[in-house]
PDB file of all heavy atoms in Angstrom:
ATOM      1  N   ARG A 623     166.070-167.468  67.735  1.00 95.00           N
ATOM      2  CA  ARG A 623     165.315-167.034  66.567  1.00 95.00           C
ATOM      3  C   ARG A 623     166.226-166.205  65.665  1.00 95.00           C
ATOM      4  O   ARG A 623     166.947-165.323  66.143  1.00 95.00           O
ATOM      5  CB  ARG A 623     164.098-166.219  66.995  1.00 95.00           C
ATOM      6  CG  ARG A 623     163.198-165.908  65.825  1.00 95.00           C
ATOM      7  CD  ARG A 623     161.944-165.176  66.238  1.00 95.00           C
ATOM      8  NE  ARG A 623     161.206-164.780  65.044  1.00 95.00           N
ATOM      9  CZ  ARG A 623     160.153-163.995  65.049  1.00 95.00           C
ATOM     10  NH1 ARG A 623     159.688-163.518  66.198  1.00 95.00           N
ATOM     11  NH2 ARG A 623     159.544-163.678  63.926  1.00 95.00           N
ATOM     12  N   ALA A 624     166.187-166.503  64.382  1.00 94.00           N
ATOM     13  CA  ALA A 624     167.119-165.837  63.473  1.00 94.00           C
ATOM     14  C   ALA A 624     166.457-165.535  62.135  1.00 94.00           C
ATOM     15  O   ALA A 624     165.358-166.015  61.851  1.00 94.00           O
ATOM     16  CB  ALA A 624     168.329-166.739  63.247  1.00 94.00           C
ATOM     17  N   LEU A 625     167.140-164.743  61.377  1.00 92.00           N
ATOM     18  CA  LEU A 625     166.736-164.433  60.007  1.00 92.00           C
ATOM     19  C   LEU A 625     167.884-164.814  59.083  1.00 92.00           C
ATOM     20  O   LEU A 625     169.046-164.685  59.469  1.00 92.00           O
ATOM     21  CB  LEU A 625     166.478-162.933  59.845  1.00 92.00           C
ATOM     22  CG  LEU A 625     165.361-162.324  60.672  1.00 92.00           C
ATOM     23  CD1 LEU A 625     165.485-160.803  60.648  1.00 92.00           C
ATOM     24  CD2 LEU A 625     164.013-162.750  60.103  1.00 92.00           C
ATOM     25  N   VAL A 626     167.547-165.272  57.899  1.00 89.00           N
ATOM     26  CA  VAL A 626     168.607-165.527  56.925  1.00 89.00           C
ATOM     27  C   VAL A 626     168.927-164.189  56.257  1.00 89.00           C
ATOM     28  O   VAL A 626     168.129-163.669  55.478  1.00 89.00           O
ATOM     29  CB  VAL A 626     168.169-166.565  55.878  1.00 89.00           C
ATOM     30  CG1 VAL A 626     169.283-166.779  54.865  1.00 89.00           C
ATOM     31  CG2 VAL A 626     167.807-167.876  56.543  1.00 89.00           C
ATOM     32  N   ALA A 627     170.085-163.624  56.614  1.00 88.00           N
ATOM     33  CA  ALA A 627     170.447-162.322  56.057  1.00 88.00           C
ATOM     34  C   ALA A 627     171.040-162.474  54.668  1.00 88.00           C
ATOM     35  O   ALA A 627     170.807-161.661  53.786  1.00 88.00           O
ATOM     36  CB  ALA A 627     171.435-161.619  56.974  1.00 88.00           C
ATOM     37  N   GLU A 628     171.810-163.528  54.498  1.00 87.00           N
ATOM     38  CA  GLU A 628     172.464-163.729  53.205  1.00 87.00           C
ATOM     39  C   GLU A 628     172.694-165.223  52.999  1.00 87.00           C
ATOM     40  O   GLU A 628     173.184-165.907  53.908  1.00 87.00           O
ATOM     41  CB  GLU A 628     173.813-163.004  53.197  1.00 87.00           C
ATOM     42  CG  GLU A 628     174.438-162.920  51.836  1.00 87.00           C
ATOM     43  CD  GLU A 628     175.799-162.208  51.905  1.00 87.00           C
ATOM     44  OE1 GLU A 628     176.207-161.785  53.007  1.00 87.00           O
ATOM     45  OE2 GLU A 628     176.427-162.117  50.862  1.00 87.00           O
ATOM     46  N   ARG A 629     172.311-165.701  51.830  1.00 84.00           N
ATOM     47  CA  ARG A 629     172.481-167.123  51.560  1.00 84.00           C
ATOM     48  C   ARG A 629     173.494-167.282  50.438  1.00 84.00           C
ATOM     49  O   ARG A 629     173.313-166.709  49.361  1.00 84.00           O
ATOM     50  CB  ARG A 629     171.131-167.718  51.157  1.00 84.00           C
ATOM     51  CG  ARG A 629     171.096-169.197  51.205  1.00 84.00           C
ATOM     52  CD  ARG A 629     169.686-169.706  51.065  1.00 84.00           C
ATOM     53  NE  ARG A 629     169.712-171.098  50.655  1.00 84.00           N
ATOM     54  CZ  ARG A 629     168.643-171.844  50.502  1.00 84.00           C
ATOM     55  NH1 ARG A 629     167.466-171.334  50.720  1.00 84.00           N
ATOM     56  NH2 ARG A 629     168.751-173.090  50.126  1.00 84.00           N
ATOM     57  N   MET A 630     174.538-168.049  50.720  1.00 86.00           N
ATOM     58  CA  MET A 630     175.645-168.110  49.764  1.00 86.00           C
ATOM     59  C   MET A 630     175.573-169.308  48.817  1.00 86.00           C
ATOM     60  O   MET A 630     176.199-169.304  47.784  1.00 86.00           O
ATOM     61  CB  MET A 630     176.984-168.145  50.503  1.00 86.00           C
ATOM     62  CG  MET A 630     177.537-166.757  50.805  1.00 86.00           C
ATOM     63  SD  MET A 630     176.649-165.907  52.111  1.00 86.00           S
ATOM     64  CE  MET A 630     177.460-166.533  53.559  1.00 86.00           C
ATOM     65  N   GLY A 631     174.870-170.356  49.173  1.00 82.00           N
ATOM     66  CA  GLY A 631     174.811-171.518  48.277  1.00 82.00           C
ATOM     67  C   GLY A 631     174.573-172.801  49.043  1.00 82.00           C
ATOM     68  O   GLY A 631     174.442-172.792  50.271  1.00 82.00           O
ATOM     69  N   GLU A 632     174.500-173.903  48.290  1.00 83.00           N
ATOM     70  CA  GLU A 632     174.217-175.197  48.904  1.00 83.00           C
ATOM     71  C   GLU A 632     175.507-175.837  49.420  1.00 83.00           C
ATOM     72  O   GLU A 632     176.603-175.489  48.994  1.00 83.00           O
ATOM     73  CB  GLU A 632     173.579-176.139  47.876  1.00 83.00           C
ATOM     74  CG  GLU A 632     172.327-175.589  47.221  1.00 83.00           C
ATOM     75  CD  GLU A 632     171.268-175.212  48.226  1.00 83.00           C
ATOM     76  OE1 GLU A 632     170.981-176.039  49.121  1.00 83.00           O
ATOM     77  OE2 GLU A 632     170.727-174.091  48.148  1.00 83.00           O
ATOM     78  N   VAL A 633     175.338-176.802  50.314  1.00 87.00           N
ATOM     79  CA  VAL A 633     176.474-177.507  50.898  1.00 87.00           C
ATOM     80  C   VAL A 633     176.188-178.995  50.763  1.00 87.00           C
ATOM     81  O   VAL A 633     175.035-179.420  50.877  1.00 87.00           O
ATOM     82  CB  VAL A 633     176.630-177.121  52.388  1.00 87.00           C
ATOM     83  CG1 VAL A 633     177.716-177.949  53.051  1.00 87.00           C
ATOM     84  CG2 VAL A 633     176.927-175.639  52.525  1.00 87.00           C
ATOM     85  N   MET A 634     177.226-179.779  50.515  1.00 86.00           N
ATOM     86  CA  MET A 634     177.051-181.228  50.357  1.00 86.00           C
ATOM     87  C   MET A 634     176.535-181.872  51.639  1.00 86.00           C
ATOM     88  O   MET A 634     176.886-181.460  52.740  1.00 86.00           O
ATOM     89  CB  MET A 634     178.398-181.879  50.000  1.00 86.00           C
ATOM     90  CG  MET A 634     178.863-181.581  48.584  1.00 86.00           C
ATOM     91  SD  MET A 634     177.817-182.372  47.363  1.00 86.00           S
ATOM     92  CE  MET A 634     178.349-184.079  47.555  1.00 86.00           C
ATOM     93  N   SER A 635     175.741-182.922  51.485  1.00 82.00           N
ATOM     94  CA  SER A 635     175.226-183.615  52.669  1.00 82.00           C
ATOM     95  C   SER A 635     176.314-184.493  53.271  1.00 82.00           C
ATOM     96  O   SER A 635     177.319-184.790  52.635  1.00 82.00           O
ATOM     97  CB  SER A 635     174.016-184.459  52.289  1.00 82.00           C
ATOM     98  OG  SER A 635     174.396-185.406  51.323  1.00 82.00           O
ATOM     99  N   GLY A 636     176.090-184.909  54.502  1.00 84.00           N
ATOM    100  CA  GLY A 636     177.069-185.736  55.197  1.00 84.00           C
ATOM    101  C   GLY A 636     176.655-185.910  56.638  1.00 84.00           C
ATOM    102  O   GLY A 636     175.540-185.556  57.020  1.00 84.00           O
ATOM    103  N   ALA A 637     177.550-186.473  57.423  1.00 87.00           N
ATOM    104  CA  ALA A 637     177.239-186.694  58.837  1.00 87.00           C
ATOM    105  C   ALA A 637     177.395-185.388  59.602  1.00 87.00           C
ATOM    106  O   ALA A 637     177.988-184.426  59.115  1.00 87.00           O
ATOM    107  CB  ALA A 637     178.162-187.758  59.406  1.00 87.00           C
ATOM    108  N   TRP A 638     176.857-185.358  60.823  1.00 92.00           N
ATOM    109  CA  TRP A 638     177.037-184.178  61.666  1.00 92.00           C
ATOM    110  C   TRP A 638     178.458-184.170  62.226  1.00 92.00           C
ATOM    111  O   TRP A 638     179.105-185.226  62.298  1.00 92.00           O
ATOM    112  CB  TRP A 638     176.043-184.214  62.835  1.00 92.00           C
ATOM    113  CG  TRP A 638     174.614-184.044  62.416  1.00 92.00           C
ATOM    114  CD1 TRP A 638     174.163-183.559  61.224  1.00 92.00           C
ATOM    115  CD2 TRP A 638     173.455-184.386  63.178  1.00 92.00           C
ATOM    116  NE1 TRP A 638     172.787-183.566  61.206  1.00 92.00           N
ATOM    117  CE2 TRP A 638     172.330-184.054  62.384  1.00 92.00           C
ATOM    118  CE3 TRP A 638     173.243-184.911  64.447  1.00 92.00           C
ATOM    119  CZ2 TRP A 638     171.020-184.254  62.831  1.00 92.00           C
ATOM    120  CZ3 TRP A 638     171.946-185.106  64.884  1.00 92.00           C
ATOM    121  CH2 TRP A 638     170.843-184.781  64.086  1.00 92.00           C
ATOM    122  N   PRO A 639     178.920-183.011  62.652  1.00 90.00           N
ATOM    123  CA  PRO A 639     180.242-182.974  63.288  1.00 90.00           C
ATOM    124  C   PRO A 639     180.227-183.804  64.582  1.00 90.00           C
ATOM    125  O   PRO A 639     179.159-184.061  65.136  1.00 90.00           O
ATOM    126  CB  PRO A 639     180.449-181.484  63.613  1.00 90.00           C
ATOM    127  CG  PRO A 639     179.398-180.750  62.864  1.00 90.00           C
ATOM    128  CD  PRO A 639     178.286-181.695  62.597  1.00 90.00           C
ATOM    129  N   ASP A 640     181.403-184.183  65.045  1.00 87.00           N
ATOM    130  CA  ASP A 640     181.484-184.881  66.342  1.00 87.00           C
ATOM    131  C   ASP A 640     181.397-183.842  67.436  1.00 87.00           C
ATOM    132  O   ASP A 640     182.383-183.208  67.806  1.00 87.00           O
ATOM    133  CB  ASP A 640     182.825-185.632  66.457  1.00 87.00           C
ATOM    134  CG  ASP A 640     182.739-186.955  65.735  1.00 87.00           C
ATOM    135  OD1 ASP A 640     181.623-187.499  65.666  1.00 87.00           O
ATOM    136  OD2 ASP A 640     183.776-187.412  65.230  1.00 87.00           O
ATOM    137  N   PHE A 641     180.218-183.649  67.965  1.00 83.00           N
ATOM    138  CA  PHE A 641     180.036-182.610  68.975  1.00 83.00           C
ATOM    139  C   PHE A 641     180.594-183.059  70.315  1.00 83.00           C
ATOM    140  O   PHE A 641     180.611-184.238  70.655  1.00 83.00           O
ATOM    141  CB  PHE A 641     178.548-182.295  69.149  1.00 83.00           C
ATOM    142  CG  PHE A 641     177.938-181.639  67.951  1.00 83.00           C
ATOM    143  CD1 PHE A 641     176.915-182.251  67.257  1.00 83.00           C
ATOM    144  CD2 PHE A 641     178.392-180.400  67.514  1.00 83.00           C
ATOM    145  CE1 PHE A 641     176.350-181.655  66.139  1.00 83.00           C
ATOM    146  CE2 PHE A 641     177.827-179.797  66.404  1.00 83.00           C
ATOM    147  CZ  PHE A 641     176.809-180.421  65.723  1.00 83.00           C
ATOM    148  N   THR A 642     181.048-182.061  71.064  1.00 75.00           N
ATOM    149  CA  THR A 642     181.467-182.345  72.429  1.00 75.00           C
ATOM    150  C   THR A 642     180.226-182.282  73.303  1.00 75.00           C
ATOM    151  O   THR A 642     179.491-181.307  73.253  1.00 75.00           O
ATOM    152  CB  THR A 642     182.431-181.246  72.928  1.00 75.00           C
ATOM    153  OG1 THR A 642     182.859-180.472  71.814  1.00 75.00           O
ATOM    154  CG2 THR A 642     183.576-181.796  73.665  1.00 75.00           C
ATOM    155  N   PHE A 643     180.001-183.325  74.065  1.00 72.00           N
ATOM    156  CA  PHE A 643     178.828-183.341  74.930  1.00 72.00           C
ATOM    157  C   PHE A 643     179.227-183.023  76.359  1.00 72.00           C
ATOM    158  O   PHE A 643     180.390-183.098  76.736  1.00 72.00           O
ATOM    159  CB  PHE A 643     178.120-184.696  74.843  1.00 72.00           C
ATOM    160  CG  PHE A 643     177.430-184.884  73.520  1.00 72.00           C
ATOM    161  CD1 PHE A 643     177.995-185.663  72.525  1.00 72.00           C
ATOM    162  CD2 PHE A 643     176.231-184.245  73.261  1.00 72.00           C
ATOM    163  CE1 PHE A 643     177.365-185.820  71.307  1.00 72.00           C
ATOM    164  CE2 PHE A 643     175.585-184.394  72.037  1.00 72.00           C
ATOM    165  CZ  PHE A 643     176.162-185.177  71.061  1.00 72.00           C
ATOM    166  N   ASP A 644     178.218-182.701  77.125  1.00 64.00           N
ATOM    167  CA  ASP A 644     178.425-182.330  78.517  1.00 64.00           C
ATOM    168  C   ASP A 644     179.186-183.425  79.262  1.00 64.00           C
ATOM    169  O   ASP A 644     178.802-184.599  79.209  1.00 64.00           O
ATOM    170  CB  ASP A 644     177.049-182.102  79.160  1.00 64.00           C
ATOM    171  CG  ASP A 644     177.169-181.811  80.632  1.00 64.00           C
ATOM    172  OD1 ASP A 644     177.975-180.945  80.981  1.00 64.00           O
ATOM    173  OD2 ASP A 644     176.452-182.469  81.402  1.00 64.00           O
ATOM    174  N   ALA A 645     180.247-183.002  79.954  1.00 62.00           N
ATOM    175  CA  ALA A 645     181.094-183.982  80.628  1.00 62.00           C
ATOM    176  C   ALA A 645     180.313-184.725  81.703  1.00 62.00           C
ATOM    177  O   ALA A 645     180.583-185.890  81.988  1.00 62.00           O
ATOM    178  CB  ALA A 645     182.303-183.282  81.230  1.00 62.00           C
ATOM    179  N   ALA A 646     179.330-184.048  82.304  1.00 63.00           N
ATOM    180  CA  ALA A 646     178.557-184.683  83.377  1.00 63.00           C
ATOM    181  C   ALA A 646     177.502-185.634  82.825  1.00 63.00           C
ATOM    182  O   ALA A 646     176.742-186.239  83.573  1.00 63.00           O
ATOM    183  CB  ALA A 646     177.882-183.610  84.224  1.00 63.00           C
ATOM    184  N   LYS A 647     177.462-185.747  81.496  1.00 72.00           N
ATOM    185  CA  LYS A 647     176.519-186.656  80.841  1.00 72.00           C
ATOM    186  C   LYS A 647     175.078-186.332  81.194  1.00 72.00           C
ATOM    187  O   LYS A 647     174.252-187.236  81.363  1.00 72.00           O
ATOM    188  CB  LYS A 647     176.839-188.107  81.192  1.00 72.00           C
ATOM    189  CG  LYS A 647     178.142-188.565  80.583  1.00 72.00           C
ATOM    190  CD  LYS A 647     178.341-190.037  80.793  1.00 72.00           C
ATOM    191  CE  LYS A 647     179.622-190.488  80.125  1.00 72.00           C
ATOM    192  NZ  LYS A 647     179.990-191.830  80.409  1.00 72.00           N
ATOM    193  N   ASP A 648     174.814-185.063  81.385  1.00 82.00           N
ATOM    194  CA  ASP A 648     173.431-184.682  81.639  1.00 82.00           C
ATOM    195  C   ASP A 648     172.810-184.237  80.316  1.00 82.00           C
ATOM    196  O   ASP A 648     173.161-183.192  79.784  1.00 82.00           O
ATOM    197  CB  ASP A 648     173.393-183.534  82.654  1.00 82.00           C
ATOM    198  CG  ASP A 648     171.974-183.085  82.910  1.00 82.00           C
ATOM    199  OD1 ASP A 648     171.047-183.694  82.356  1.00 82.00           O
ATOM    200  OD2 ASP A 648     171.800-182.115  83.662  1.00 82.00           O
ATOM    201  N   PRO A 649     171.871-185.013  79.778  1.00 86.00           N
ATOM    202  CA  PRO A 649     171.315-184.628  78.488  1.00 86.00           C
ATOM    203  C   PRO A 649     170.513-183.331  78.547  1.00 86.00           C
ATOM    204  O   PRO A 649     170.253-182.724  77.508  1.00 86.00           O
ATOM    205  CB  PRO A 649     170.420-185.818  78.127  1.00 86.00           C
ATOM    206  CG  PRO A 649     170.149-186.518  79.405  1.00 86.00           C
ATOM    207  CD  PRO A 649     171.315-186.261  80.291  1.00 86.00           C
ATOM    208  N   LEU A 650     170.120-182.935  79.767  1.00 89.00           N
ATOM    209  CA  LEU A 650     169.333-181.707  79.888  1.00 89.00           C
ATOM    210  C   LEU A 650     170.180-180.509  80.332  1.00 89.00           C
ATOM    211  O   LEU A 650     169.640-179.491  80.768  1.00 89.00           O
ATOM    212  CB  LEU A 650     168.172-181.916  80.874  1.00 89.00           C
ATOM    213  CG  LEU A 650     167.099-182.915  80.415  1.00 89.00           C
ATOM    214  CD1 LEU A 650     166.009-183.045  81.461  1.00 89.00           C
ATOM    215  CD2 LEU A 650     166.497-182.490  79.087  1.00 89.00           C
ATOM    216  N   ALA A 651     171.511-180.636  80.244  1.00 88.00           N
ATOM    217  CA  ALA A 651     172.378-179.545  80.686  1.00 88.00           C
ATOM    218  C   ALA A 651     172.097-178.270  79.897  1.00 88.00           C
ATOM    219  O   ALA A 651     172.058-177.166  80.466  1.00 88.00           O
ATOM    220  CB  ALA A 651     173.842-179.952  80.536  1.00 88.00           C
ATOM    221  N   THR A 652     171.872-178.393  78.599  1.00 90.00           N
ATOM    222  CA  THR A 652     171.599-177.212  77.782  1.00 90.00           C
ATOM    223  C   THR A 652     170.300-176.549  78.229  1.00 90.00           C
ATOM    224  O   THR A 652     170.203-175.325  78.315  1.00 90.00           O
ATOM    225  CB  THR A 652     171.470-177.618  76.301  1.00 90.00           C
ATOM    226  OG1 THR A 652     172.586-178.408  75.966  1.00 90.00           O
ATOM    227  CG2 THR A 652     171.405-176.405  75.407  1.00 90.00           C
ATOM    228  N   HIS A 653     169.321-177.388  78.529  1.00 92.00           N
ATOM    229  CA  HIS A 653     168.034-176.859  78.987  1.00 92.00           C
ATOM    230  C   HIS A 653     168.219-176.085  80.302  1.00 92.00           C
ATOM    231  O   HIS A 653     167.685-174.980  80.472  1.00 92.00           O
ATOM    232  CB  HIS A 653     167.062-178.027  79.178  1.00 92.00           C
ATOM    233  CG  HIS A 653     165.771-177.642  79.818  1.00 92.00           C
ATOM    234  ND1 HIS A 653     164.857-176.823  79.199  1.00 92.00           N
ATOM    235  CD2 HIS A 653     165.240-177.947  81.031  1.00 92.00           C
ATOM    236  CE1 HIS A 653     163.812-176.650  79.990  1.00 92.00           C
ATOM    237  NE2 HIS A 653     164.020-177.316  81.113  1.00 92.00           N
ATOM    238  N   ALA A 654     169.004-176.669  81.203  1.00 91.00           N
ATOM    239  CA  ALA A 654     169.238-176.000  82.494  1.00 91.00           C
ATOM    240  C   ALA A 654     169.923-174.656  82.278  1.00 91.00           C
ATOM    241  O   ALA A 654     169.576-173.655  82.916  1.00 91.00           O
ATOM    242  CB  ALA A 654     170.079-176.899  83.384  1.00 91.00           C
ATOM    243  N   SER A 655     170.853-174.652  81.350  1.00 91.00           N
ATOM    244  CA  SER A 655     171.575-173.405  81.069  1.00 91.00           C
ATOM    245  C   SER A 655     170.621-172.352  80.489  1.00 91.00           C
ATOM    246  O   SER A 655     170.686-171.175  80.847  1.00 91.00           O
ATOM    247  CB  SER A 655     172.730-173.730  80.122  1.00 91.00           C
ATOM    248  OG  SER A 655     173.035-172.656  79.321  1.00 91.00           O
TER     249      SER A 655
END
Side-chain angles (χ1 to χ4, degrees):
Chain A
R623 187 176 174 188
L625 298 166
V626 179
E628 191 181 359
R629 195 169 160 177
M630 272 73 85
E632 304 304 312
V633 174
M634 288 292 286
S635 60
W638 292 343
D640 278 331
F641 292 118
T642 347
F643 289 101
D644 176 50
K647 292 187 178 172
D648 178 3
L650 294 180
T652 310
H653 172 67
S655 151

